[in-house]
Each structure stands twice: as C-alpha cells, then as structure tokens.
Amino acid sequence: AGTFTPTANTEDASNTLSLATSYTDTAGNAGPAATTANYAVETLAPTISSVTAGWGTSLNATEDNSAGTVTVVTSGAENGQTVTVSLNGTNYTGTVSDNSTSVTVATTGLQALTDGSSYTLTTNVSDAAGNAATENTGTSFTYDITAPTLAETTLVPSLTNDNSTQYTFSSSEGGTISVGGNCSSDNNTAVADNMTVSFAALADGTYHDCTITVTDSAGNSVTLDVNSFTIDTTAPTLAEVTAVTTPTNDNTSSYTFSSTEAGTISYSICGGNLDNASEDNNTIIFDALADDTYSDCQISVTDNASNTSDNLSVSSFKIDTVKPVLEQVTAVTTPTDNTTPAYSFSSTEAGTNSYGGSCGSSSTSATSSGLDNVTIILTQPDNSTALSEAQYADCSITVTDPAGNPSTALLV
C-alpha cells in the first residue's frame, strides 16, 4: 500500500495514476499493468478580496437602530459556499454568489457592543473541496453612540445693528457644523472647545428659528437652538415740527421734532431737558441760553440697536432778553393851545409802541430803528380824537422789541 499527496495550491481536472509491469510479489510473480480512472486535484484555497462594513469605520447611534450589512468579495469560492463573519463572539453568515455575498449583522448584535470600544470583523470562507481561505481581520471600526454635548456661551444680542452677528457655543467633541433655520454661516468645523460662528449677512427682522448642529466623526448629531434676536440696521429719521420762535425773549425756548423711532437724544451746541425720544413728536426745552443768535444747534437720536440718525439742524433763532431803553427828547410845550401836540423820544431798540394813561397817538405804532428820535402826535386813548383842555400828568409810552421785551414806561 502507498500514499499519494497532491502538490499544494494545485488545480487540475485531468489526472491518472499508472502502474507498470515491473513489480512482482514475494513469489516472483509479475503484476499486471494498470491505470486509474481520471480524477481532479483541488488544493488551491479561495481568497477573500475585501470585507466592507456598511457603517464604515464608525458605527453611530442612528446606524445601530437597524441591522447592519457586511459585504464580502471572494475569489475561488464556489456559488453556494458559506461566508462567516464573526463580531464580538457571534457568527453571522452569508452565501457566495458570483464571488460576493452580503452578511447581515443583527440589530441586537450591534446594540450589544460597548460604546467607545473598537472592534474587528473576522471573516472566512472555504471552497467545496474544503480548502479554507486565509482568515481576514483587516476590517475594524469604533462603536460610538454618544453625541457631542453643546452649551451656549455667548448669546446673540437680542437687538443689534450688526447683520453679520456672532454666536459662541462650546462642544465636547470636534466635528462638522451646520447652521439651520433662517441663518447660515461659512463656519463648518467644530472643535472640542468654545467656537464662535459668524452668521452670513441677515436682512432686518426678528430671527427665532436659527439652529446649530454639530456632527461628530461617527455621525452622531446634536442641535442647539440659537436665542431669538432682532437685526435693525435702520437709523431713525428726524424732522422739524415746530421751530424756536425767533427772535424770542425766552432763553429756555421749546423746540418740537419728530422721530421715526424711539431712542436716546444727543445735542450739539444747545443742550436740552429731554434724554429720550419717542416714536412720534417730541418737544424739548433747551437749556438756558445767553443772548445771541443760534444757527448751529443740532439734534440726533440713537435707537435701541445703536443706529444713529443724521443730525437734524435746528432752524436759526435769536435769544434777546434785553428790553429797550427810552429817553425823552422833546417834551410837550406846556401850557399849549395845540390839542394834538407833538412829543419826541429815543429808543435803544426798534419795536412796537403802546400808550398808557390819558393819551394815545395817531402816529405809527412802530419805532423803526434803535437810537433814532421818534416824534409822535398825542391824542386821546382812541388814537384819533384830539385832546381836550385839561392837565395831563399820566401819559406814558412803552416800546416792546420784536423779542417781546417791553421797555420801562416813559412818562410824557
């Protein structure tokens, strides 16, 4: 008897063994020649070309909610042969078809893994002759079902005039950032630290649906809601409503203007009593001003978003608190037979004449210019009837300037 061992890694479908007649038994009898039937030699083991886990190099919290798929590509394993994939001590099998198979890993098997641990798939297959492939252990992955933890660090100001405003938050893991809602951003990389996201330019309005999502390297995501905020880049518009009377003898004059927004008032040259403007007409009282002409007073309003209006120039006005001073120039001759006598006086300012006592005047009521002598014709208080024969001791003249300052009455 003898043993024949084929050469390893051999595939040959046509093989025979032949016996020659040169053999004898112990008695010297020659044996007959013989040839075996054809037989096939199959000692070539199959190979595993690739093992690919459907979840890649990380298995996350979403992916472990359903069964996983492992795709195995073979060479030399006949259709119908069984591929075995071992994970965490459990075997999962598939059947070869055209050198490929998909092995299903049960959900329970995936969820039995330990979060944060790494695992290796062990894969094998044998051909129909029983030749086993070299075991494949080249596919590994990490089981990570923990999403990053996000926390708000610095809110977007609830009201701002920065239409590219920023938001700062912290993340426990690095990953990718996506911004949702009505906000967007070019910032797309997260680190395990504080991060500031600058939003792309936003139109004026209120934003209450902006979100930030961080996805870690395993694909676990968490979303953080951004606080509600309003973008306001529009400055108030001011308009003059009631100018300061000019000239005026009120050195704390009032002035009325309108504003399209509420805000804080700022003054230039002339100060005022009002600090805050409303979205409507606003009347201010200027701080006490010295006698002078004011042509450069300005007002601006800064709204709650820090937008400042253009300066509103207050119409020029004059403060005059000095009254005219009158002096007699030519008295009425006394006694006189003239029932419409003339009287002359001087005034330091132009203004409007008024008469008191028992006299009036048919002359103009205006004193045309300061320091000029003015001659008037005296009458009765009706300013037309001639004086009667009598003694006149209470007649007086007052000049009120354009600012409303009346002189001390001048007794005639």
Side-chain angles (χ1 to χ4, degrees):
T3 300
F4 172 72
T5 302
T7 304
N9 295 319
T10 299
E11 268 189 322
D12 193 346
S14 299
N15 297 277
T16 59
L17 291 176
S18 296
L19 298 176
T21 57
S22 60
Y23 66 92
T24 60
D25 61 15
T26 56
N29 301 304
T35 299
T36 67
N38 184 71
Y39 63 92
V41 174
E42 172 61 279
T43 61
L44 180 64
T47 59
I48 298 174
S49 303
S50 64
V51 177
T52 305
W55 53 84
T57 57
S58 297
L59 177 64
N60 63 38
T62 300
E63 293 165 331
D64 78 347
N65 285 327
S66 58
T69 300
V70 178
T71 300
V72 181
V73 177
T74 60
S75 176
E78 297 86 353
N79 289 345
Q81 290 302 107
T82 299
V83 173
T84 301
V85 176
S86 178
L87 171 62
N88 197 32
T90 300
N91 292 333
Y92 304 92
T93 60
T95 301
V96 174
S97 175
D98 294 332
N99 291 317
S100 179
T101 186
S102 292
V103 178
T104 299
V105 181
T107 304
T108 53
L110 296 179
Q111 293 181 344
L113 303 178
T114 301
D115 187 22
S117 297
S118 295
Y119 295 88
T120 298
L121 299 177
T122 302
T123 306
N124 213 332
V125 67
S126 296
D127 62 15
N131 300 299
T134 300
E135 190 173 71
N136 184 297
T137 58
T139 300
S140 299
F141 66 92
T142 300
Y143 183 53
D144 178 1
I145 58 173
T146 301
T149 299
L150 307 185
E152 198 168 60
T153 302
T154 305
L155 282 68
V156 178
S158 59
L159 179 62
T160 179
N161 63 359
D162 181 4
N163 67 347
S164 298
T165 190
Q166 296 180 328
Y167 178 79
T168 301
F169 69 98
S170 65
S171 175
S172 61
E173 294 185 66
T176 57
I177 298 173
S178 59
V179 177
N182 284 315
C183 295
S184 62
S185 176
D186 291 334
N187 301 115
N188 53 24
T189 301
V191 295
D193 199 349
N194 286 344
M195 287 154 290
T196 298
V197 171
S198 296
F199 293 127
L202 298 168
D204 281 17
T206 298
Y207 295 83
H208 51 75
D209 63 348
C210 296
T211 60
I212 291 177
T213 300
V214 173
T215 303
D216 65 17
S217 58
N220 300 297
S221 296
V222 63
T223 298
L224 181 65
D225 292 329
V226 178
N227 64 287
S228 179
F229 60 93
T230 298
I231 301 291
D232 175 9
T233 60
T234 303
T237 300
L238 309 186
E240 187 171 80
V241 175
T242 305
V244 177
T245 301
T246 186
T248 179
N249 62 359
D250 182 2
N251 68 347
T252 55
S253 297
S254 64
Y255 178 78
T256 301
F257 70 96
S258 65
S259 175
T260 56
E261 293 186 68
T264 303
I265 302 174
S266 296
Y267 299 90
S268 175
I269 307 301
C270 303
N273 69 322
L274 200 62
D275 294 327
N276 298 306
S278 62
E279 184 184 350
D280 201 347
N281 290 348
N282 300 270
T283 298
I284 60 176
I285 304 297
F286 287 127
D287 296 339
L289 297 169
D291 283 17
D292 204 348
T293 297
Y294 293 86
S295 58
D296 52 2
C297 295
Q298 294 180 328
I299 295 171
S300 63
V301 172
T302 301
D303 66 17
N304 294 329
S306 298
N307 301 297
T308 300
S309 69
D310 292 335
N311 286 325
L312 173 64
S313 294
V314 177
S315 294
S316 179
F317 62 94
K318 180 179 181 180
I319 301 292
D320 175 9
T321 61
V322 178
K323 62 185 180 181
V325 177
L326 309 185
E327 290 186 2
Q328 181 175 278
V329 175
T330 305
V332 177
T333 302
T334 184
T336 180
D337 60 358
N338 187 354
T339 59
T340 54
Y343 179 81
S344 296
F345 69 97
S346 66
S347 173
T348 55
E349 293 186 69
T352 301
N353 301 342
S354 58
Y355 305 94
S358 301
C359 296
S361 176
S362 59
S363 303
T364 177
S365 61
T367 298
S368 59
S369 60
L371 300 179
D372 284 349
N373 293 343
V374 179
T375 299
I376 61 172
I377 303 300
L378 296 176
T379 66
Q380 292 189 31
D382 65 3
N383 298 326
S384 61
T385 305
L387 295 174
S388 303
E389 291 188 8
Q391 181 73 32
Y392 292 88
D394 62 350
C395 295
S396 65
I397 300 171
T398 300
V399 174
T400 301
D401 67 17
N405 301 296
S407 69
T408 301
L410 175 64
L411 288 175
V412 175

